[in-house]
Amino acid sequence: MIAPLLVVSGKFRPLPADYLFAALAALMVASVVVHGRTTTDRDYALLALSTAAYPAFRAVGGRFSLSRFSYITAALVLVGTLLTAWAVVYDQSGEIKPLVLGFHEGPTVFTLTWCFLVFALLSIPFPSLQWHVVGGLIAIPAFVFAAAMVRHPFIALALTLVATARMGSRRQLAVIGVLGLSIVIGLAARPAMSGKIIGLVLENAQKSVVACDTGDTFAIRIILTKEALKLLPTVGLLGQGIGTFAQQSCYKTEPHNVVLQAAVEVGFAAALLLATAFIWALISVARRARCDAAASFVFAGLVFVGIEFLMSGSLTNSALLFGFMGWAVGQSQNGGHETSGAPHPLAVP
């Protein structure tokens, strides 16, 4: 199912991660065949599209332009920053997160987009004089999105920067400092909301028995994880079917951890294959990330989406996770690439 799509895209030599992902896809199909229709047609369509992201991204090769990606993403982030700033100031809904374009998750989506811009900017060898512009593209959105009370993307970003720091430089350490300062100032700009969030976290952390009676997203994640772990001993070889966890959960949603969800709905073997394929992809691209700008971006992106999908992931909506896994594996067969030491279109005097 995976290999034919890759063969038609050009030169293709199957790697171990490809076989692992193909086996995972086969288990998903087997689970659907055995359990029948257990979720909506929309979820099945999303799962098929997510799975197709692996071969699609794997075939990117040297056609990816880091500079073009940075320009386009920077434009999107600037728009998102302005919309979010307006919502922070004028939204009177009373919710912790302001409405952006009618969605409470709007600030989160724009923050995720900005995180990929940060990885791209860190991968490009800018001259020193251009870093004040780069710093603005990093610091200002961080301040605005922190004021919008976005949380888990910042956690994933911080962990990713720490995980990739060994391949960075003093500039990366400076970026971490700028991010930390901007986030603190952004949280301090809305002390009432920041205090409310801290209060909810402390309140739920002190509960001896966790019940489905909170609106705090961190506490909800703990509840969902406990529900998933409780179901694990009862699932069969092929799980209990796609989408079944949300039907049984008191919050009627996925466990927010894609590995746990795979174990419950597709089986332990599927969860193990997913974790192994991810680690293999990570190792493959890490070898090139030291000397290749595109590979450096892919490596950071893969670490980031891996962390994100352990905190806020969905198996039926895993296009980013599967896509970056395929992209990372394809980097080892990438003949045309942008090296970190070569001149870059954005890095001009």
Side-chain angles (χ1 to χ4, degrees):
M1 183 169 70
I2 304 295
L5 291 174
L6 292 168
V7 171
V8 298
S9 66
K11 295 180 180 179
F12 169 63
R13 176 172 56 86
L15 297 175
D18 297 320
Y19 293 113
L20 291 170
F21 191 80
L24 171 62
L27 283 178
M28 291 180 184
V29 173
S31 179
V32 173
V33 171
V34 169
H35 295 293
R37 190 175 187 274
T38 55
T39 188
T40 63
D41 293 339
R42 174 182 175 274
D43 282 341
Y44 286 124
L46 284 174
L47 181 59
L49 290 172
S50 296
T51 306
Y54 182 95
F57 276 58
R58 195 193 187 291
V60 169
R63 291 182 287 274
F64 175 68
S65 171
L66 194 57
S67 58
R68 194 173 297 118
F69 172 86
S70 300
Y71 282 126
I72 295 172
T73 308
L76 293 174
V77 167
L78 289 174
V79 172
T81 301
L82 291 173
L83 290 172
T84 303
W86 187 93
V88 168
V89 174
Y90 294 106
D91 179 44
Q92 302 297 322
S93 66
E95 297 288 341
I96 292 176
K97 289 182 185 178
L99 285 170
V100 175
L101 298 178
F103 297 96
H104 283 296
E105 291 303 315
T108 302
V109 173
F110 283 124
T111 304
L112 291 171
T113 305
W114 164 75
C115 287
F116 289 109
L117 176 62
V118 172
F119 302 140
L121 294 176
L122 284 173
S123 300
I124 297 173
F126 288 104
S128 299
L129 293 178
Q130 290 188 353
W131 269 92
H132 65 281
V133 177
V134 174
L137 288 173
I138 293 174
I140 296 174
F143 164 76
V144 172
F145 297 142
M149 299 298 127
V150 176
R151 291 184 287 176
H152 64 80
F154 282 122
I155 296 173
L157 175 63
L159 293 175
T160 301
L161 290 176
V162 170
T164 59
R166 62 186 181 84
M167 289 179 294
S169 62
R170 293 179 180 177
R171 288 177 176 176
Q172 187 160 345
L173 296 176
V175 167
I176 294 174
V178 169
L179 282 173
L181 181 61
S182 300
I183 292 170
V184 169
I185 295 174
L187 292 172
R190 297 180 72 196
M193 285 300 179
S194 299
K196 183 177 180 180
I197 287 178
I198 294 172
L200 284 171
V201 173
L202 293 177
E203 176 187 344
N204 287 285
Q206 294 171 357
K207 287 184 178 179
S208 57
V209 178
V210 179
C212 298
D213 59 354
T214 178
D216 177 61
T217 56
F218 277 7
I220 290 173
R221 283 171 170 81
I222 295 174
I223 294 169
L224 293 171
T225 299
K226 289 186 174 182
E227 287 183 325
L229 293 174
K230 186 177 180 180
L231 286 172
L232 285 181
T234 67
V235 301
L237 178 64
L238 295 174
Q240 59 183 21
I242 303 296
T244 53
F245 178 88
Q247 298 165 15
Q248 301 173 54
S249 169
C250 62
Y251 279 103
K252 302 302 178 185
T253 187
E254 297 88 355
H256 284 51
N257 183 311
V258 72
V259 176
L260 273 180
Q261 186 179 0
V264 171
E265 298 183 356
V266 193
F268 286 103
L272 181 60
L273 284 170
L274 175 59
T276 306
F278 176 84
I279 293 171
W280 202 294
L282 203 61
I283 294 173
S284 298
V285 73
R287 297 169 183 170
R288 301 177 62 91
R290 295 179 183 274
C291 59
D292 179 24
S296 176
F297 167 75
V298 174
F299 177 72
L302 181 59
V303 173
F304 177 75
V305 296
I307 296 170
E308 263 290 298
F309 273 76
L310 290 177
M311 296 191 300
S312 190
S314 169
L315 184 62
T316 56
N317 194 15
S318 299
L320 267 181
L321 177 64
F322 294 160
F324 266 91
M325 286 169 59
W327 199 354
V329 174
Q331 281 291 315
S332 62
Q333 296 175 337
N334 180 10
H337 56 268
E338 297 173 1
T339 57
S340 58
H344 196 281
L346 284 178
V348 294

